[in-house]
Amino acid sequence: IRKAKAAGCKAVCLTVGSPASDSSLVADWDYVDRIRQATDAPFLLKGVMSPEEAQTAADKGVNGVIVSNHGGKFLPGIADPIAMLPAISEALNGRIPVLIDGGIRRGADVLKALALGAAAVLIARPALWALAAYGADGVQTLVELLQTELASDMTMLGTITPAAVTRDHVKVHRR
């Protein structure tokens, strides 16, 4: 963590709840506490998929959670992050930021996530595809495309800013 901070990293993110593990989050919250206490940088947990885990994270002093199933769509019965986002956001009620990772491919996906309580979205997989295909220019184009689509989608809803989008604008359907 010290080396990462010295290299300019602004936050620490611990990935938990891997689909390859037996636990839904972590077997040892003491481990999370030790890592959180090892830095004064913002500390986030990625892999939170339940309101209870999110509340425990906030209680333990985590600065934010990332709703993610680590690409777990290949596992039958595993919830999509967007389906869990409203309950997690509601449970935290603004105590700490909620981010989301998974399934963000278009501006409309960003809009839905923001409407359902996300403070921000992660776009790692699309960014990796863009980087692999077109280099840094591809990533820049991806971000610009998402911004353009988001602005267009907000216009169609009659909203001016992402903050003006509410849950009433979005319906989540279960598969």
Side-chain angles (χ1 to χ4, degrees):
I1 291 172
R2 285 188 294 274
K3 287 179 182 179
K5 192 170 180 185
C9 292
K10 304 291 184 210
V12 174
C13 180
L14 175 64
T15 300
V16 296
S18 162
S21 74
D22 292 335
S23 108
S24 62
L25 182 57
V26 288
D28 186 354
W29 278 101
D30 290 336
Y31 181 70
V32 173
D33 285 337
R34 285 196 313 271
I35 293 174
R36 183 189 51 75
Q37 292 169 4
T39 183
D40 58 355
F43 178 60
L44 296 96
L45 286 183
K46 178 182 180 210
V48 174
M49 285 292 288
S50 80
E52 297 79 19
E53 290 171 343
Q55 288 174 322
T56 300
D59 292 344
K60 295 283 188 179
V62 170
N63 302 107
V65 296
I66 303 169
V67 181
S68 174
N69 65 3
H70 312 295
K73 288 185 177 189
F74 61 89
L75 297 172
I78 298 298
D80 289 332
I82 197 75
M84 297 307 302
L85 179 61
I88 291 170
S89 177
E90 193 172 293
L92 288 173
N93 195 30
R95 287 176 62 196
I96 58 174
V98 178
L99 293 78
I100 186 169
D101 178 41
I104 306 297
R105 304 291 184 264
R106 298 179 305 274
D109 299 328
V110 175
L111 187 69
K112 290 174 198 171
L114 296 175
L116 295 173
V121 301
L122 282 69
I123 57 166
R125 189 167 293 158
L128 287 174
W129 293 336
L131 182 65
Y134 302 106
D137 290 341
V139 176
Q140 179 66 34
T141 299
L142 168 69
V143 171
E144 291 170 358
L145 179 61
L146 287 171
Q147 290 172 326
T148 300
E149 290 176 353
L150 177 59
S152 175
D153 294 340
M154 286 188 311
T155 299
M156 286 192 271
L157 288 179
T159 59
I160 298 172
T161 65
V165 179
T166 68
R167 289 183 186 188
D168 292 336
H169 289 106
V170 178
K171 301 294 182 227
V172 177
H173 301 284
R174 296 195 181 260
R175 292 184 210 167

